[in-house]
Amino acid sequence: DGGITQSPKYLFRKEGQNVTLSCEQNLNHDAMYWYRQDPGQGLRLIYYSQIVNDFQKGDIAEGYSVSREKKESFPLTVTSAQKNPTAFYLCASRVAGGHHNEQFFGPGTRLTVL
Amino acid sequence: AQSVSQHNHHVILSEAASLELGCNYSYGGTVNLFWYVQYPGQHLQLLLKYFSGDPLVKGIKGFEAEFIKSKFSFNLRKPSVQWSDTAEYFCAVSGGTSYGKLTFGQGTILTVHP
């Protein structure tokens, strides 16, 4: 089955700890994205990557970091510098190129800071 | 910068009622427009998209949307909703040199009563 997997589904973290969210895709997509979803605010872009070993900040990158060492993987680290990290995090991928190519989304990770 | 506005935060309908969800965007160039749906407990998935041609686009599950360029709008419609349409709906736009990045609206929660 082709698709995007995110793990874990639920994650709890103490304040001051860094935590890494996993995102893997087997769709052979070049581009990958991380969004944060908060109630009433839609999805906001954190980071994106068009190609391996390259990534750019999105609209709300502060307090987050990413890496793209493999085409299939785009992990997101939520650092202790993120002021309000409790949220639902969604990973997506798409075929690079035309703007009309839609993004495909993973099931998400719900992060709660205790 | 792109922005998307969805007019209704929560819409409540009875089965068989007609649905129209408003979406307006701001962007001066060529845009690609999307409606995504998030059913309870499921992945965000594409309902339909517009990138060129006929401004009336049809999607899955009987949904359609009309792109009105002069009004910067891309409203979602369905003639007769079902209980299974209960979900959150997101309008999104990409365009220009955005590298396929999506800007999402705030989302509209649709509740359909049997």
Side-chain angles (χ1 to χ4, degrees):
Chain A
D1 262 346
I4 302 172
T5 57
Q6 291 185 244
S7 61
K9 187 174 181 179
Y10 298 97
L11 188 57
F12 298 89
R13 175 196 113 173
K14 293 181 180 179
E15 280 194 29
Q17 289 181 334
N18 292 355
V19 63
T20 297
L21 282 59
S22 169
C23 176
E24 304 277 333
Q25 55 96 1
N26 61 5
L27 300 168
N28 199 33
H29 288 170
D30 291 300
M32 297 187 74
Y33 306 80
W34 273 106
Y35 294 90
R36 168 183 173 138
Q37 184 178 3
D38 296 282
Q41 296 193 53
L43 280 71
R44 292 179 290 166
L45 182 65
I46 304 172
Y47 267 97
Y48 65 102
S49 169
Q50 297 293 303
I51 196 169
V52 174
N53 292 323
D54 187 45
F55 49 83
Q56 287 78 39
K57 293 181 179 180
D59 300 319
I60 55 165
E62 185 175 351
Y64 300 97
S65 66
V66 293
S67 63
R68 186 83 187 279
E69 297 176 1
K70 298 188 298 181
K71 186 175 185 178
E72 303 80 16
S73 179
F74 191 41
L76 173 74
T77 297
V78 184
T79 76
S80 57
Q82 168 51 232
K83 300 299 181 194
N84 185 21
T86 294
F88 189 51
Y89 291 87
L90 287 167
C91 178
S93 71
R94 68 187 280 272
V95 175
H99 293 292
H100 59 275
N101 295 329
E102 69 263 31
Q103 293 184 19
F104 293 82
F105 286 82
T109 292
R110 189 167 298 279
L111 173 64
T112 302
V113 174
L114 303 172
Chain B
Q2 301 166 169
S3 68
V4 179
S5 177
Q6 292 182 239
H7 313 301
N8 309 101
H9 176 62
H10 195 178
V11 172
I12 301 173
L13 296 173
S14 297
E15 275 193 322
S18 63
L19 170 71
E20 182 160 2
L21 301 183
C23 172
N24 285 92
Y25 66 92
S26 66
Y27 183 72
T30 302
V31 292
N32 300 279
L33 296 155
F34 305 82
W35 275 98
Y36 281 86
V37 61
Q38 191 172 39
Y39 297 104
Q42 295 188 27
H43 297 202
L44 200 67
Q45 59 184 279
L46 182 71
L47 265 182
L48 49 79
K49 66 180 180 182
Y50 170 82
F51 57 95
S52 67
D54 189 343
L56 183 63
V57 292
K58 296 191 182 300
I60 61 172
K61 305 189 180 185
F63 286 91
E64 65 178 31
E66 185 175 13
F67 170 53
I68 303 180
K69 189 175 181 179
S70 61
K71 295 185 177 180
F72 297 90
S73 71
F74 190 55
N75 292 354
L76 181 71
R77 300 194 292 248
K78 186 171 184 179
S80 176
V81 295
Q82 300 173 309
W83 175 79
S84 58
D85 293 323
T86 295
E88 189 163 13
Y89 293 79
F90 296 93
C91 181
V93 62
S94 73
T97 57
S98 63
Y99 301 106
K101 293 183 297 178
L102 291 174
T103 299
F104 282 85
Q106 303 92 325
T108 297
I109 297 169
L110 171 66
T111 301
V112 180
H113 291 303

